[in-house]
Amino acid sequence: MQCIRRQPKRSASQENILREQSRRVAALNGIRLGLKDDKDLKFLLKGSQLLKVKSSSWRKERFYKLQEDCKTIWQESKKVLRSPESQIFSIEDIRDVRSGHKTEGMEKYAKDVPEYRCFSIIFKDQRKNLDLIASSEDDANHWISGLAKIIAHSNSMNQKQKLQHWIHTCLRKADKNKDNKMSLKELKDFLKEVNIEVDDYHAKKIFQHCDKSKTEALEDDEIEEFYKILTERKEIDKIFQKYSDAEGFMSCQNLVRFLYETQQEEDAVVAAPALIQKYEPNERAKRGNAMTKDGFLMYLLSDDGNIFNSSHRKVYQDMTQPLSHYLVSSSHNTYLMEDQLTGPSSTEAYIRALTKGCRCVELDCWDGPNSEPIIYHGYTLTSKILFSDVIKAIKNYAFKTSPYPVIISLENHCSVEQQKVMAQHMTTILQDMLLVAPLDGNKSQFPSPEQLKGKILVKGKKLSRQEDPTGTNGNNNLEAEDVSDEDEAAEMEDESVKTEIQQKGKSDTLKLAKELSDTVVYCKSIHFNGFEDPSHPRPFYEMSSFTESKALKLAQEAGTSFIHHNIRHLSRIYPAGWRTDSSNYNPIDLWNVGCQIVALNFQTAGTEMDVYQGRFQDNGFSGYVLKPEFLRDEQTKFNPKSITEGTWGTKKKLLLKIISGQQLPKVNKSKNSIVDPKVTIEIHGVQQDNNKKQTKVIENNGFNPKWDEEFTFDIEIPALALVRFVVEDFDMSTKNDFIGQYTLPFTSLKQGYRHIHLLTKNGDPYSSSTLFVYINIQDCD
């Protein structure tokens, strides 16, 4: 049995000294956050008792406290043998803080408590929400307001401030005896904490260089000297020296030259003075309209020095074209949090998808108890949620990320009676948001996203003899009739599902209520029976859903016809029935033939979802991306499988240099584990453009690895290409561990020296993990 080593008991005076040191550190971190003497911050640092809610029978008091680093929260746990790390969560992991009964847990289990005492912490990853009840309204407000301020101020910190905050937190962690000094052993522990393996000789050399007082311990200015050595960026110093004078200043004129020659910024003359005012910390340099090395570094780490074109962070594309001319961010089985067979269904999944920019969500509707329709994956053991709760969630979150239209894709399995309830819920809850009549104007093509701003459209079956959506003919007195039943759940390749379907004796038709049919205006679901005869065009509002395999077959065998179909009609693609694990397919080949609603499982991280989020971060993260002109032109002959027959934009040569990495996170949390990073650059586009190249492996350095490796890619169709940068921890014996990635459209690349701000596997940004690269794009001859 392993003995637990007891720490020697501290005296009362030692405890007081440590408490005072902790208070000073917390105050300093509060100042760094711009929250000096903030009453909410002080309350959180002191901590309070909160009721943690898990179910109707589990509601227990726990102590919660913001730690002195002002970036992590400690939570009391009664679990035996729980590790200290598991009792802490980072402010960076929080996506949202909601007051009142705004989660399913609070709605179900805390209705007896006044809303003003309740709040929930929503995490970025797949972690469950933390539902909490404060003892008073004041306490709840302190937590809600305090966390919101810390999150907002942390997000507004520049990269240098984030780095400084992180390093000082790691230094504090390495200072085991809390004497505000650093011994050689503590320095070695610190280097491991920040992901660097340094041999004893080099560690001692750095230590002796900084130990000016020769006391065998670093303190105050000596620790600052160590910090400067650690954060030195020689690769940036070299660039700066080329454009600066002997005194270490880069004149505005030289900054213009750098921006124009190297960064390929067309508005360099206007941009240079603005960048100096925005990023230069030295007042003397700022007055002289010049930039120091610190200001230059801050610029390169900022949004202006980002690889992603900052002008693409807002809507810049023409939003007045017909709806069918855009790719639409779309989710499959949106209600699922995990797999397709046994996982939980949740309104939270809709909220997460909508806040990620999703504009088309799916609802699988079935008869529920008490005449209330429910949503779940039919024939499976996935949990059930109320249709009305989902519609409420859509109403509350539809337009928080983007103002452009949301499409509700209904898979309807309900009786006529419950279909009427569905229609009633949508009309009463969504009210003016729900589009129930065609817009005035052109009756031969879709309205535009701009015209449909703030509107929710329903995609579903329509009574065939009823007045058509554009109001031209039909019998409007029909109450109900049989329509074909498109049942995606029945396509699942799972034996228990197939048995369930056989036992229930599934019908191919479904009786459709007029009330539900009336909610469908521009997105009438029909079965696909082949591409239309140009001499007898079908109504533009008729759209079909395709399984991925059928859609890929059409793209392969009749690419140009599929493109023509997708100019006038919407096409929705969904994952194959065998993907019961909620895995995803590659959306690229379907975008390349103009398919708009390419639905993926948003809950599943991986390359496919990275590419998806990379495509839709374009155009202001609006969820709508305008297709290239050759996918909208009715005379187009484009076929992604044979791109030689025509001109589809200027071919490009991408010259790319991976220079260095900064603060790559530890993958294995073991104290002695240091990452061995390598970078892979992938091109995703038409088949001829798909490519992959990788750097060498840098051993034992995740803090500041240097590669200095150049790569060249030829891009045939730039408008369809995306570039993905993947950083992995190399492992010779097993699969490499994912560290971070970043994906963006080729057309959003900025040239010159740029930082890539890496994302986690769930697509959330790391606070200070970056790659430093050089990009040059040339026209091919």
PDB file of all heavy atoms in Angstrom, residues 72 127 141 285 328 467 494 601 679 755:
ATOM      1  N   THR A  72     -10.028  29.907 -12.755  1.00  0.00           N
ATOM      2  CA  THR A  72     -10.537  28.565 -12.460  1.00  0.00           C
ATOM      3  C   THR A  72     -11.458  28.619 -11.237  1.00  0.00           C
ATOM      4  O   THR A  72     -11.289  29.454 -10.354  1.00  0.00           O
ATOM      5  CB  THR A  72      -9.395  27.559 -12.180  1.00  0.00           C
ATOM      6  OG1 THR A  72      -8.483  28.136 -11.224  1.00  0.00           O
ATOM      7  CG2 THR A  72      -8.641  27.203 -13.429  1.00  0.00           C
ATOM      8  N   ARG A 127     -19.800  18.284 -21.878  1.00  0.00           N
ATOM      9  CA  ARG A 127     -20.063  18.145 -20.448  1.00  0.00           C
ATOM     10  C   ARG A 127     -21.492  18.571 -20.103  1.00  0.00           C
ATOM     11  O   ARG A 127     -22.050  19.470 -20.716  1.00  0.00           O
ATOM     12  CB  ARG A 127     -19.081  19.046 -19.678  1.00  0.00           C
ATOM     13  CG  ARG A 127     -18.648  18.460 -18.357  1.00  0.00           C
ATOM     14  CD  ARG A 127     -17.699  19.372 -17.623  1.00  0.00           C
ATOM     15  NE  ARG A 127     -16.720  20.038 -18.466  1.00  0.00           N
ATOM     16  CZ  ARG A 127     -15.805  20.865 -17.984  1.00  0.00           C
ATOM     17  NH1 ARG A 127     -15.762  21.141 -16.702  1.00  0.00           N
ATOM     18  NH2 ARG A 127     -14.935  21.435 -18.791  1.00  0.00           N
ATOM     19  N   ASN A 141     -27.070  36.830  -8.208  1.00  0.00           N
ATOM     20  CA  ASN A 141     -26.647  37.945  -9.075  1.00  0.00           C
ATOM     21  C   ASN A 141     -25.136  38.128  -9.070  1.00  0.00           C
ATOM     22  O   ASN A 141     -24.537  38.451 -10.101  1.00  0.00           O
ATOM     23  CB  ASN A 141     -27.340  39.245  -8.651  1.00  0.00           C
ATOM     24  CG  ASN A 141     -28.807  39.263  -9.046  1.00  0.00           C
ATOM     25  OD1 ASN A 141     -29.211  38.541  -9.955  1.00  0.00           O
ATOM     26  ND2 ASN A 141     -29.607  40.061  -8.354  1.00  0.00           N
ATOM     27  N   ALA A 285       6.627  56.011 -28.665  1.00  0.00           N
ATOM     28  CA  ALA A 285       6.588  55.502 -30.044  1.00  0.00           C
ATOM     29  C   ALA A 285       5.283  55.906 -30.720  1.00  0.00           C
ATOM     30  O   ALA A 285       5.266  56.319 -31.884  1.00  0.00           O
ATOM     31  CB  ALA A 285       6.733  53.976 -30.037  1.00  0.00           C
ATOM     32  N   VAL A 328     -26.129  26.162 -46.904  1.00  0.00           N
ATOM     33  CA  VAL A 328     -26.837  26.465 -45.655  1.00  0.00           C
ATOM     34  C   VAL A 328     -26.319  25.535 -44.549  1.00  0.00           C
ATOM     35  O   VAL A 328     -26.370  24.303 -44.697  1.00  0.00           O
ATOM     36  CB  VAL A 328     -28.369  26.271 -45.827  1.00  0.00           C
ATOM     37  CG1 VAL A 328     -29.102  26.677 -44.552  1.00  0.00           C
ATOM     38  CG2 VAL A 328     -28.887  27.056 -47.030  1.00  0.00           C
ATOM     39  N   GLU A 467     -53.998  24.436 -52.201  1.00  0.00           N
ATOM     40  CA  GLU A 467     -53.406  25.587 -52.889  1.00  0.00           C
ATOM     41  C   GLU A 467     -51.896  25.533 -52.749  1.00  0.00           C
ATOM     42  O   GLU A 467     -51.377  25.313 -51.656  1.00  0.00           O
ATOM     43  CB  GLU A 467     -53.936  26.875 -52.266  1.00  0.00           C
ATOM     44  CG  GLU A 467     -53.441  28.122 -52.965  1.00  0.00           C
ATOM     45  CD  GLU A 467     -54.105  29.369 -52.412  1.00  0.00           C
ATOM     46  OE1 GLU A 467     -54.913  29.246 -51.481  1.00  0.00           O
ATOM     47  OE2 GLU A 467     -53.821  30.437 -52.938  1.00  0.00           O
ATOM     48  N   ASP A 494     -29.607  -1.385 -38.196  1.00  0.00           N
ATOM     49  CA  ASP A 494     -29.470  -1.942 -36.850  1.00  0.00           C
ATOM     50  C   ASP A 494     -30.563  -2.987 -36.688  1.00  0.00           C
ATOM     51  O   ASP A 494     -31.736  -2.733 -37.001  1.00  0.00           O
ATOM     52  CB  ASP A 494     -29.619  -0.827 -35.803  1.00  0.00           C
ATOM     53  CG  ASP A 494     -29.514  -1.354 -34.390  1.00  0.00           C
ATOM     54  OD1 ASP A 494     -28.382  -1.574 -33.928  1.00  0.00           O
ATOM     55  OD2 ASP A 494     -30.578  -1.551 -33.751  1.00  0.00           O
ATOM     56  N   ASN A 601     -24.012  15.516 -38.261  1.00  0.00           N
ATOM     57  CA  ASN A 601     -24.239  15.344 -36.822  1.00  0.00           C
ATOM     58  C   ASN A 601     -23.349  16.337 -36.073  1.00  0.00           C
ATOM     59  O   ASN A 601     -22.150  16.103 -35.893  1.00  0.00           O
ATOM     60  CB  ASN A 601     -23.906  13.906 -36.408  1.00  0.00           C
ATOM     61  CG  ASN A 601     -24.878  12.905 -36.990  1.00  0.00           C
ATOM     62  OD1 ASN A 601     -26.078  12.999 -36.787  1.00  0.00           O
ATOM     63  ND2 ASN A 601     -24.359  11.934 -37.737  1.00  0.00           N
ATOM     64  N   VAL A 679       2.907  19.139 -37.647  1.00  0.00           N
ATOM     65  CA  VAL A 679       1.799  19.842 -38.301  1.00  0.00           C
ATOM     66  C   VAL A 679       1.509  19.186 -39.643  1.00  0.00           C
ATOM     67  O   VAL A 679       2.429  18.905 -40.415  1.00  0.00           O
ATOM     68  CB  VAL A 679       2.142  21.337 -38.519  1.00  0.00           C
ATOM     69  CG1 VAL A 679       0.958  22.066 -39.176  1.00  0.00           C
ATOM     70  CG2 VAL A 679       2.518  22.012 -37.203  1.00  0.00           C
ATOM     71  N   HIS A 755      -0.550  34.546 -37.729  1.00  0.00           N
ATOM     72  CA  HIS A 755      -0.761  33.559 -36.674  1.00  0.00           C
ATOM     73  C   HIS A 755      -2.057  32.791 -36.946  1.00  0.00           C
ATOM     74  O   HIS A 755      -3.038  33.367 -37.420  1.00  0.00           O
ATOM     75  CB  HIS A 755      -0.858  34.230 -35.300  1.00  0.00           C
ATOM     76  CG  HIS A 755       0.482  34.519 -34.694  1.00  0.00           C
ATOM     77  ND1 HIS A 755       1.091  35.749 -34.791  1.00  0.00           N
ATOM     78  CD2 HIS A 755       1.337  33.729 -33.990  1.00  0.00           C
ATOM     79  CE1 HIS A 755       2.260  35.714 -34.182  1.00  0.00           C
ATOM     80  NE2 HIS A 755       2.438  34.500 -33.693  1.00  0.00           N
TER      81      HIS A 755
END
